[in-house]
Amino acid sequence: MGEEKIPDAREAQQFVGSQIEIVSDTEVRGYSRIRGGWNNGRAYTVYFCAVFDQPIAKYVTFKDGKFYNNQKTQFDSGKKTAALLSFGNGGKEELNVKIGISFLSELKAKNNIDAEIPHWDFNVVLSTLQNKWENLLSRIQLSKDTSDEYKRMFYTGLYHTMIMPVDRTGENPLWTNDEPYYDDFYTIWDTFRTSSPLITLIDSKRKVDIINAMLNIYKREGYMPEGRSGNDNGRTQGGSNAEVVIADAFVKNLKGIDYELALQAMMKDATVPPGGNEEREGRGGLLDYLKLGYVPYGTDRAGNRTIDYSYNDYNIATVAKGLGKTELYNQYMKQAENWQNLWRADYENNGAKGFIMPKDKDGNWLDDVVFGESKIQKPTFKYTPVIIESPWYVCHWCVFFYEGTSWEYSFSIPHDVPELIKKSGGEKAFENRLDIFFDQNLYNVANEPSFLTPCLYHWIGKPYLSSDRIRSIIKNNFNTSREGLPGNDDSGAMSSWLAFHMMGLYPNAGQPYYLINTPLIKETVIQLENGKKFTISAKKMTDKNRYIKSALLNGKPYNKAWITHDDINNGGELVLEMDSKPSAWGTTILPPNK
């Protein structure tokens, strides 16, 4: 986000102060103090040190719109500072620069240069960096006949996924310990669905470090992050989705995490209101949610908060059960049904019946809701399942459903799809509902709430329809151009959605399985951290032969359109035999339910 002229403008960075010093004829140091961004939190300082391989020939420094000759320092007085340098006295045409940064001090920035690049060989730096990325990206190998277009799409997806959150271990200005420290969770609402599970699949050690960093933040600051940047928690968009990340790690048997502490952190989210800053962390509207079983209209983002909290409660139940806490498990499994309290069973729209809709504190369904933020006049508008409220009716954060419609969110029940099908009128009605959603362009490919929806045909025994939808979505919305990712990539969320589907897998985050769809790549080999490999092969696959006729897992017939994480992590081969028409494969053993 760029700097805004309006102080404390939402999501905008704000300049606080800066300083610069020409230390010698080959070194410049300084810092900038910035606040805001995604969190509107405390100011943070980024220190830098720049060193050059030839001496500065001339310089001027800058402060608050003025240039100064023969003045090597500009101290911090809350104004913008800079230095303009020129080189060339030695007759060299090439200038090499090394820049170190730190969140601790200028000297630490200098030390980071000395520790990480003690030489002046640019090619060594480049090859070292390339080798690090090659080591990571090569953990998934695509068949040699994969097109360049698909290779670029896939590996760009992996690259985007691994950029955030950022490992700042050893660079934490807030406290000192030996535990991992990560920043730039931007945000877990975006990343829990696909980015986080993809990191688990190809770099579980990193995922363990990320979760331990989240728990470290909880121990020091009271809540795990939902969004975090500039060393400060904020913002929440819906649920307390750190719960999904922890449950996902738990059911996939990631070691090196204190799950008793993790459950304690999850329970803090679920039981203690965040005290006046409900956009920063925890659960906004929590007391109403616990009392009524839903977040009533009038609390920002009441609709998706209710849905998300229901799923987060399911995540708590998952971990509680695994830790032998039966009473806690029973309580939170019951709360995982709370999404049903906003299900308006008789509401019809566009040929479908039953939607998650606004309800007030007294239990009344609301057809008309307040327009805008006026405290005096209170005009209303008619709320329907196709409305996107912001920015036309209310502010971006004041909506009932954050960045989506009731049509989208009424499918977004990842832990209770069988009950959702039942409430929608049964399998035939649910299939019709899905078809309406996609065929009438009610689906938004560019945002996360609908990530799972193309796969929901699996739960009515028609996985081939899921594959058809996914292939169509990718064909129409993803490519290698500048517009090749729809919407905002959100820390690799969109990219990881694509990468999973290109392999033919799709996670249901917080649960220990992946849905199987027709891959876009004929063979994918996943190099697992335990030294084993898992291969997915699609035999005889063409544009025409795009349906799975049968499958073999390690040489034995496999009739489920989903596979457990353990089956993948144990290594082996999933062979998909392709055909030109749908078959009975995957139609009888439906994905697990809660």
Side-chain angles (χ1 to χ4, degrees):
M1 299 295 177
E3 185 185 357
E4 292 279 348
K5 293 181 180 179
I6 304 169
D8 299 326
R10 180 180 289 277
E11 299 180 32
Q13 293 181 327
Q14 200 71 40
F15 172 84
V16 177
S18 71
Q19 177 169 300
I20 197 158
E21 176 185 12
I22 300 173
V23 180
S24 72
D25 62 357
T26 57
E27 184 178 346
V28 177
R29 298 178 193 166
Y31 64 75
S32 287
R33 288 188 293 137
I34 305 294
R35 69 183 304 273
W38 185 247
N39 59 39
N40 277 2
R42 302 164 289 202
Y44 60 96
T45 305
V46 182
Y47 301 91
F48 78 91
C49 177
V51 293
F52 315 100
D53 72 341
Q54 58 174 290
I56 299 168
K58 295 178 183 178
Y59 70 87
V60 293
T61 56
F62 169 91
K63 187 174 187 176
D64 194 24
K66 296 179 181 179
F67 289 96
Y68 296 85
N69 293 311
N70 302 315
Q71 197 165 316
K72 291 188 174 182
T73 62
Q74 295 293 347
F75 64 86
D76 187 348
S77 59
K79 306 297 182 180
K80 293 182 179 178
T81 62
L84 182 62
L85 312 174
S86 64
F87 300 84
N89 276 358
K92 289 174 63 178
E93 293 291 322
E94 182 182 273
L95 173 70
N96 287 301
V97 184
K98 293 190 286 191
I99 301 175
I101 64 167
S102 173
F103 290 84
L104 300 179
S105 70
E106 294 172 9
L107 289 178
K108 181 63 164 59
K110 176 69 160 38
N111 180 259
N112 288 341
I113 296 175
D114 295 340
E116 295 176 26
I117 315 176
H119 54 78
W120 285 101
D121 193 327
F122 177 83
N123 290 325
V124 169
V125 175
L126 178 61
S127 62
T128 300
L129 179 63
Q130 288 173 330
N131 288 338
K132 285 181 179 178
W133 276 109
E134 182 61 29
N135 175 56
L136 198 57
L137 302 183
S138 65
R139 293 181 188 181
I140 300 182
Q141 298 277 355
L142 310 183
S143 52
K144 291 180 180 179
D145 63 353
T146 304
S147 68
D148 287 345
E149 173 98 346
Y150 276 2
K151 285 177 183 175
R152 289 192 187 101
M153 289 164 65
F154 184 83
Y155 287 114
T156 300
L158 293 196
Y159 170 69
H160 286 180
T161 302
M162 303 305 292
I163 293 173
M164 289 186 181
V166 177
D167 185 358
R168 291 194 189 159
T169 304
E171 282 287 340
N172 181 1
L174 303 178
W175 61 82
T176 302
N177 60 27
D178 294 330
E179 297 179 51
Y181 181 68
Y182 277 73
D183 203 317
D184 293 322
F185 292 87
Y186 196 71
T187 68
I188 297 177
W189 183 87
D190 299 287
T191 59
F192 80 79
R193 296 166 172 88
T194 51
S195 300
S196 189
L198 187 55
I199 293 172
T200 295
L201 194 62
I202 66 173
D203 195 359
S204 63
K205 289 187 178 70
R206 174 181 167 89
K207 178 51 61 180
V208 169
D209 281 348
I210 290 170
I211 291 173
N212 282 327
M214 290 160 57
L215 296 176
N216 198 10
I217 291 166
Y218 158 73
K219 285 191 292 184
R220 296 287 179 157
E221 297 189 352
Y223 286 92
M224 292 184 289
E226 169 65 23
R228 186 179 180 90
S229 67
N231 304 306
D232 225 334
N233 281 356
R235 308 183 182 272
T236 63
Q237 293 160 280
S240 48
N241 294 306
E243 275 87 288
V244 194
V245 176
I246 288 170
D248 197 64
F250 185 77
V251 298
K252 292 172 182 174
N253 298 311
L254 266 61
K255 307 299 182 186
I257 296 166
D258 183 346
Y259 288 109
E260 292 282 353
L261 175 66
L263 182 59
Q264 177 185 317
M266 297 162 87
M267 292 296 297
K268 175 76 175 285
D269 284 334
T271 59
V272 181
N277 193 351
E278 297 190 339
E279 281 191 11
R280 186 171 187 265
E281 55 205 359
R283 297 188 183 184
L286 177 62
L287 294 180
D288 280 336
Y289 175 78
L290 295 176
K291 178 183 176 182
L292 303 172
Y294 61 93
V295 181
Y297 190 84
T299 298
D300 294 346
R301 308 183 296 287
N304 64 289
R305 275 175 157 161
T306 299
I307 292 172
D308 289 353
Y309 296 169
S310 300
Y311 190 40
N312 300 152
D313 287 343
Y314 172 78
N315 304 138
I316 292 172
T318 298
V319 177
K321 182 180 181 181
L323 296 177
K325 301 179 190 299
T326 305
E327 188 174 330
L328 208 60
Y329 164 75
N330 290 333
Q331 175 189 344
Y332 280 89
M333 281 300 282
K334 180 65 178 172
Q335 286 184 203
E337 299 175 357
N338 280 347
W339 65 274
Q340 299 180 34
N341 295 326
L342 288 185
W343 185 268
R344 191 169 174 180
D346 60 350
Y347 197 100
E348 295 187 37
N349 183 271
N350 278 343
K353 191 173 182 180
F355 288 89
I356 292 171
M357 297 292 283
K359 184 188 278 188
D360 67 16
K361 284 188 175 185
D362 299 321
N364 301 309
W365 296 112
L366 301 177
D367 289 309
D368 298 296
V369 292
V370 175
F371 176 96
E373 300 172 80
S374 171
K375 305 298 182 190
I376 303 169
Q377 295 177 315
K378 294 191 176 179
T380 62
F381 67 94
K382 188 173 184 61
Y383 190 88
T384 74
V386 296
I387 275 184
I388 297 176
E389 295 171 84
S390 175
W392 298 279
Y393 304 106
V394 294
C395 74
H396 183 64
W397 292 80
C398 309
V399 292
F400 181 64
F401 280 127
Y402 178 75
E403 293 187 358
T405 67
S406 178
W407 256 100
E408 292 176 81
Y409 276 102
S410 294
F411 280 119
S412 188
I413 315 294
H415 62 299
D416 210 359
V417 179
E419 183 63 29
L420 175 63
I421 294 169
K422 183 179 174 183
K423 287 193 175 303
S424 298
E427 291 186 359
K428 188 172 180 54
F430 190 71
E431 180 180 348
N432 184 56
R433 184 188 189 108
L434 283 168
D435 289 344
I436 292 168
F437 183 60
F438 292 108
D439 294 341
Q440 296 190 17
N441 296 318
L442 299 170
Y443 168 70
N444 180 8
V445 65
N447 214 5
E448 288 79 7
S450 290
F451 268 20
L452 179 64
T453 311
C455 292
L456 294 184
Y457 292 97
H458 277 63
W459 276 269
I460 57 172
K462 295 185 177 182
Y464 51 89
L465 293 180
S466 296
S467 293
D468 278 347
R469 292 294 181 191
I470 291 157
R471 289 173 78 84
S472 176
I473 290 165
I474 292 173
K475 180 180 178 182
N476 294 330
N477 297 279
F478 291 84
N479 54 62
T480 56
S481 74
R482 290 178 63 184
E483 292 78 33
L485 283 174
N488 189 330
D489 197 28
D490 290 320
S491 299
M494 205 66 61
S495 289
S496 50
W497 183 94
L498 173 66
F500 265 121
H501 280 313
M502 292 183 81
M503 290 189 286
L505 300 175
Y506 193 77
N508 195 359
Q511 300 173 65
Y513 63 88
Y514 305 83
L515 302 167
I516 300 171
N517 291 294
T518 298
L520 269 65
I521 296 160
K522 290 182 180 178
E523 183 174 277
T524 303
V525 180
I526 304 170
Q527 178 64 59
L528 303 162
E529 284 182 295
N530 59 16
K532 298 177 181 177
K533 293 181 179 180
F534 188 80
T535 302
I536 304 166
S537 301
K539 302 297 185 185
K540 302 178 183 175
M541 185 173 69
T542 62
D543 286 342
K544 184 179 179 183
N545 284 3
R546 65 180 189 271
Y547 297 105
I548 301 172
K549 179 181 180 181
S550 62
L552 297 172
L553 178 62
N554 300 329
K556 297 178 181 178
Y558 192 81
N559 296 316
K560 297 182 290 190
W562 51 276
I563 186 169
T564 68
H565 180 79
D566 283 349
D567 278 338
I568 291 176
N569 209 41
N570 289 335
E573 184 176 28
L574 177 66
V575 178
L576 307 174
E577 191 74 29
M578 308 306 295
D579 201 356
S580 59
K581 58 184 184 296
S583 73
W585 178 84
T587 61
T588 55
I589 307 173
L590 302 182
N593 61 28
K594 65 176 185 176

